[in-house]
PDB file of all heavy atoms in Angstrom:
ATOM      1  N   VAL W   3      -0.370   4.333   0.680  1.00 98.00           N
ATOM      2  CA  VAL W   3      -0.936   5.219   1.647  1.00 98.00           C
ATOM      3  C   VAL W   3      -1.271   4.436   2.902  1.00 98.00           C
ATOM      4  O   VAL W   3      -2.027   3.480   2.893  1.00 98.00           O
ATOM      5  CB  VAL W   3      -2.217   5.998   1.137  1.00 98.00           C
ATOM      6  CG1 VAL W   3      -2.737   6.890   2.266  1.00 98.00           C
ATOM      7  CG2 VAL W   3      -1.858   6.862  -0.146  1.00 98.00           C
ATOM      8  N   HIS W   4      -0.639   4.755   4.028  1.00 98.00           N
ATOM      9  CA  HIS W   4      -0.912   4.083   5.307  1.00 98.00           C
ATOM     10  C   HIS W   4      -1.668   5.079   6.249  1.00 98.00           C
ATOM     11  O   HIS W   4      -1.373   6.186   6.241  1.00 98.00           O
ATOM     12  CB  HIS W   4       0.432   3.679   5.978  1.00 98.00           C
ATOM     13  CG  HIS W   4       1.245   2.711   5.130  1.00 98.00           C
ATOM     14  ND1 HIS W   4       2.515   2.506   5.373  1.00 98.00           N
ATOM     15  CD2 HIS W   4       0.932   1.961   4.077  1.00 98.00           C
ATOM     16  CE1 HIS W   4       3.004   1.660   4.502  1.00 98.00           C
ATOM     17  NE2 HIS W   4       2.041   1.339   3.696  1.00 98.00           N
ATOM     18  N   THR W   5      -2.533   4.498   7.081  1.00 98.00           N
ATOM     19  CA  THR W   5      -3.245   5.371   7.992  1.00 98.00           C
ATOM     20  C   THR W   5      -3.010   4.655   9.386  1.00 98.00           C
ATOM     21  O   THR W   5      -2.838   3.426   9.590  1.00 98.00           O
ATOM     22  CB  THR W   5      -4.708   5.379   7.775  1.00 98.00           C
ATOM     23  OG1 THR W   5      -5.361   4.119   7.728  1.00 98.00           O
ATOM     24  CG2 THR W   5      -5.007   6.171   6.446  1.00 98.00           C
ATOM     25  N   GLU W   6      -3.051   5.488  10.428  1.00 98.00           N
ATOM     26  CA  GLU W   6      -2.819   5.031  11.811  1.00 98.00           C
ATOM     27  C   GLU W   6      -3.571   6.039  12.704  1.00 98.00           C
ATOM     28  O   GLU W   6      -3.399   7.216  12.596  1.00 98.00           O
ATOM     29  CB  GLU W   6      -1.333   5.141  12.120  1.00 98.00           C
ATOM     30  CG  GLU W   6      -1.032   4.667  13.563  1.00 98.00           C
ATOM     31  CD  GLU W   6       0.447   4.809  13.792  1.00 98.00           C
ATOM     32  OE1 GLU W   6       1.262   4.809  12.847  1.00 98.00           O
ATOM     33  OE2 GLU W   6       0.847   4.763  14.932  1.00 98.00           O
ATOM     34  N   ARG W   7      -4.351   5.428  13.552  1.00 98.00           N
ATOM     35  CA  ARG W   7      -5.133   6.235  14.556  1.00 98.00           C
ATOM     36  C   ARG W   7      -4.402   6.578  15.746  1.00 98.00           C
ATOM     37  O   ARG W   7      -3.793   5.613  16.361  1.00 98.00           O
ATOM     38  CB  ARG W   7      -6.434   5.591  14.880  1.00 98.00           C
ATOM     39  CG  ARG W   7      -7.474   5.599  13.748  1.00 98.00           C
ATOM     40  CD  ARG W   7      -8.768   4.943  14.159  1.00 98.00           C
ATOM     41  NE  ARG W   7      -9.723   4.962  13.062  1.00 98.00           N
ATOM     42  CZ  ARG W   7     -10.882   5.571  13.162  1.00 98.00           C
ATOM     43  NH1 ARG W   7     -11.310   6.140  14.275  1.00 98.00           N
ATOM     44  NH2 ARG W   7     -11.784   5.700  12.141  1.00 98.00           N
ATOM     45  N   ARG W   8      -4.180   7.814  16.134  1.00 97.00           N
ATOM     46  CA  ARG W   8      -3.572   8.229  17.349  1.00 97.00           C
ATOM     47  C   ARG W   8      -4.630   8.936  18.224  1.00 97.00           C
ATOM     48  O   ARG W   8      -4.697  10.135  18.222  1.00 97.00           O
ATOM     49  CB  ARG W   8      -2.441   9.128  17.059  1.00 97.00           C
ATOM     50  CG  ARG W   8      -1.325   8.511  16.138  1.00 97.00           C
ATOM     51  CD  ARG W   8      -0.467   7.558  17.004  1.00 97.00           C
ATOM     52  NE  ARG W   8       0.615   7.074  16.152  1.00 97.00           N
ATOM     53  CZ  ARG W   8       1.918   7.679  16.148  1.00 97.00           C
ATOM     54  NH1 ARG W   8       2.076   8.762  16.921  1.00 97.00           N
ATOM     55  NH2 ARG W   8       2.795   7.153  15.397  1.00 97.00           N
ATOM     56  N   GLY W   9      -5.423   8.190  18.938  1.00 97.00           N
ATOM     57  CA  GLY W   9      -6.589   8.794  19.659  1.00 97.00           C
ATOM     58  C   GLY W   9      -7.566   9.431  18.705  1.00 97.00           C
ATOM     59  O   GLY W   9      -8.092   8.763  17.860  1.00 97.00           O
ATOM     60  N   ARG W  10      -7.731  10.741  18.829  1.00 98.00           N
ATOM     61  CA  ARG W  10      -8.653  11.464  18.005  1.00 98.00           C
ATOM     62  C   ARG W  10      -8.035  11.884  16.672  1.00 98.00           C
ATOM     63  O   ARG W  10      -8.744  12.533  15.869  1.00 98.00           O
ATOM     64  CB  ARG W  10      -9.203  12.682  18.694  1.00 98.00           C
ATOM     65  CG  ARG W  10      -9.962  12.422  20.033  1.00 98.00           C
ATOM     66  CD  ARG W  10     -11.318  11.874  19.745  1.00 98.00           C
ATOM     67  NE  ARG W  10     -12.186  11.838  20.920  1.00 98.00           N
ATOM     68  CZ  ARG W  10     -13.408  11.351  20.913  1.00 98.00           C
ATOM     69  NH1 ARG W  10     -13.997  10.987  19.745  1.00 98.00           N
ATOM     70  NH2 ARG W  10     -14.090  11.356  22.049  1.00 98.00           N
ATOM     71  N   VAL W  11      -6.760  11.623  16.436  1.00 98.00           N
ATOM     72  CA  VAL W  11      -6.115  12.101  15.219  1.00 98.00           C
ATOM     73  C   VAL W  11      -5.834  10.925  14.289  1.00 98.00           C
ATOM     74  O   VAL W  11      -5.447   9.842  14.720  1.00 98.00           O
ATOM     75  CB  VAL W  11      -4.734  12.710  15.672  1.00 98.00           C
ATOM     76  CG1 VAL W  11      -3.981  13.233  14.424  1.00 98.00           C
ATOM     77  CG2 VAL W  11      -4.878  13.806  16.659  1.00 98.00           C
ATOM     78  N   LEU W  12      -6.140  11.153  12.991  1.00 98.00           N
ATOM     79  CA  LEU W  12      -5.670  10.216  11.978  1.00 98.00           C
ATOM     80  C   LEU W  12      -4.421  10.585  11.318  1.00 98.00           C
ATOM     81  O   LEU W  12      -4.351  11.723  10.740  1.00 98.00           O
ATOM     82  CB  LEU W  12      -6.855  10.112  10.940  1.00 98.00           C
ATOM     83  CG  LEU W  12      -6.612   9.045   9.788  1.00 98.00           C
ATOM     84  CD1 LEU W  12      -6.674   7.587  10.510  1.00 98.00           C
ATOM     85  CD2 LEU W  12      -7.636   9.179   8.701  1.00 98.00           C
ATOM     86  N   LEU W  13      -3.412   9.739  11.421  1.00 98.00           N
ATOM     87  CA  LEU W  13      -2.052   9.983  10.730  1.00 98.00           C
ATOM     88  C   LEU W  13      -2.198   9.313   9.438  1.00 98.00           C
ATOM     89  O   LEU W  13      -2.366   8.100   9.324  1.00 98.00           O
ATOM     90  CB  LEU W  13      -0.976   9.488  11.581  1.00 98.00           C
ATOM     91  CG  LEU W  13       0.406   9.546  10.995  1.00 98.00           C
ATOM     92  CD1 LEU W  13       0.877  10.940  10.576  1.00 98.00           C
ATOM     93  CD2 LEU W  13       1.376   8.823  11.999  1.00 98.00           C
ATOM     94  N   ILE W  14      -1.928  10.084   8.325  1.00 98.00           N
ATOM     95  CA  ILE W  14      -1.970   9.531   6.973  1.00 98.00           C
ATOM     96  C   ILE W  14      -0.541   9.776   6.393  1.00 98.00           C
ATOM     97  O   ILE W  14      -0.035  10.845   6.356  1.00 98.00           O
ATOM     98  CB  ILE W  14      -2.964  10.355   6.146  1.00 98.00           C
ATOM     99  CG1 ILE W  14      -4.332  10.243   6.735  1.00 98.00           C
ATOM    100  CG2 ILE W  14      -2.964   9.785   4.688  1.00 98.00           C
ATOM    101  CD1 ILE W  14      -5.379  11.284   6.157  1.00 98.00           C
ATOM    102  N   ARG W  15       0.016   8.623   5.972  1.00 98.00           N
ATOM    103  CA  ARG W  15       1.369   8.662   5.405  1.00 98.00           C
ATOM    104  C   ARG W  15       1.405   8.284   3.922  1.00 98.00           C
ATOM    105  O   ARG W  15       0.830   7.136   3.554  1.00 98.00           O
ATOM    106  CB  ARG W  15       2.361   7.729   6.142  1.00 98.00           C
ATOM    107  CG  ARG W  15       2.632   8.115   7.608  1.00 98.00           C
ATOM    108  CD  ARG W  15       3.794   7.281   8.090  1.00 98.00           C
ATOM    109  NE  ARG W  15       4.117   7.417   9.529  1.00 98.00           N
ATOM    110  CZ  ARG W  15       3.599   6.562  10.474  1.00 98.00           C
ATOM    111  NH1 ARG W  15       2.840   5.584  10.051  1.00 98.00           N
ATOM    112  NH2 ARG W  15       3.845   6.792  11.734  1.00 98.00           N
ATOM    113  N   MET W  16       1.993   9.103   3.115  1.00 98.00           N
ATOM    114  CA  MET W  16       2.290   8.729   1.788  1.00 98.00           C
ATOM    115  C   MET W  16       3.559   7.880   1.705  1.00 98.00           C
ATOM    116  O   MET W  16       4.543   8.295   2.355  1.00 98.00           O
ATOM    117  CB  MET W  16       2.407   9.903   0.815  1.00 98.00           C
ATOM    118  CG  MET W  16       1.048  10.764   0.718  1.00 98.00           C
ATOM    119  SD  MET W  16       1.305  12.288  -0.235  1.00 98.00           S
ATOM    120  CE  MET W  16       2.056  13.344   1.008  1.00 98.00           C
ATOM    121  N   ASN W  17       3.580   6.785   0.966  1.00 98.00           N
ATOM    122  CA  ASN W  17       4.782   5.899   1.073  1.00 98.00           C
ATOM    123  C   ASN W  17       5.126   5.294  -0.313  1.00 98.00           C
ATOM    124  O   ASN W  17       4.944   4.102  -0.579  1.00 98.00           O
ATOM    125  CB  ASN W  17       4.395   4.819   2.061  1.00 98.00           C
ATOM    126  CG  ASN W  17       5.603   3.991   2.417  1.00 98.00           C
ATOM    127  OD1 ASN W  17       6.733   4.488   2.537  1.00 98.00           O
ATOM    128  ND2 ASN W  17       5.421   2.600   2.536  1.00 98.00           N
ATOM    129  N   ARG W  18       5.768   6.144  -1.170  1.00 97.00           N
ATOM    130  CA  ARG W  18       6.416   5.760  -2.301  1.00 97.00           C
ATOM    131  C   ARG W  18       7.755   6.372  -2.399  1.00 97.00           C
ATOM    132  O   ARG W  18       8.138   7.212  -3.185  1.00 97.00           O
ATOM    133  CB  ARG W  18       5.693   6.198  -3.607  1.00 97.00           C
ATOM    134  CG  ARG W  18       4.391   5.490  -3.895  1.00 97.00           C
ATOM    135  CD  ARG W  18       3.811   5.983  -5.265  1.00 97.00           C
ATOM    136  NE  ARG W  18       4.500   5.251  -6.389  1.00 97.00           N
ATOM    137  CZ  ARG W  18       4.571   5.750  -7.667  1.00 97.00           C
ATOM    138  NH1 ARG W  18       4.183   7.011  -7.932  1.00 97.00           N
ATOM    139  NH2 ARG W  18       5.164   5.024  -8.573  1.00 97.00           N
ATOM    140  N   PRO W  19       8.620   5.976  -1.446  1.00 97.00           N
ATOM    141  CA  PRO W  19       9.888   6.618  -1.252  1.00 97.00           C
ATOM    142  C   PRO W  19      10.737   6.606  -2.414  1.00 97.00           C
ATOM    143  O   PRO W  19      11.494   7.556  -2.822  1.00 97.00           O
ATOM    144  CB  PRO W  19      10.590   5.993  -0.128  1.00 97.00           C
ATOM    145  CG  PRO W  19       9.855   4.659   0.063  1.00 97.00           C
ATOM    146  CD  PRO W  19       8.474   4.904  -0.446  1.00 97.00           C
ATOM    147  N   ALA W  20      10.740   5.554  -3.310  1.00 96.00           N
ATOM    148  CA  ALA W  20      11.548   5.416  -4.428  1.00 96.00           C
ATOM    149  C   ALA W  20      11.229   6.462  -5.517  1.00 96.00           C
ATOM    150  O   ALA W  20      11.988   6.830  -6.387  1.00 96.00           O
ATOM    151  CB  ALA W  20      11.495   4.062  -5.028  1.00 96.00           C
TER     152      ALA W  20
END
Side-chain angles (χ1 to χ4, degrees):
V3 177
H4 300 163
T5 60
E6 181 181 340
R7 288 180 177 241
R8 299 285 187 92
R10 298 286 190 179
V11 180
L12 185 66
L13 174 59
I14 304 166
R15 292 193 189 97
M16 295 176 281
N17 189 39
R18 289 187 81 205

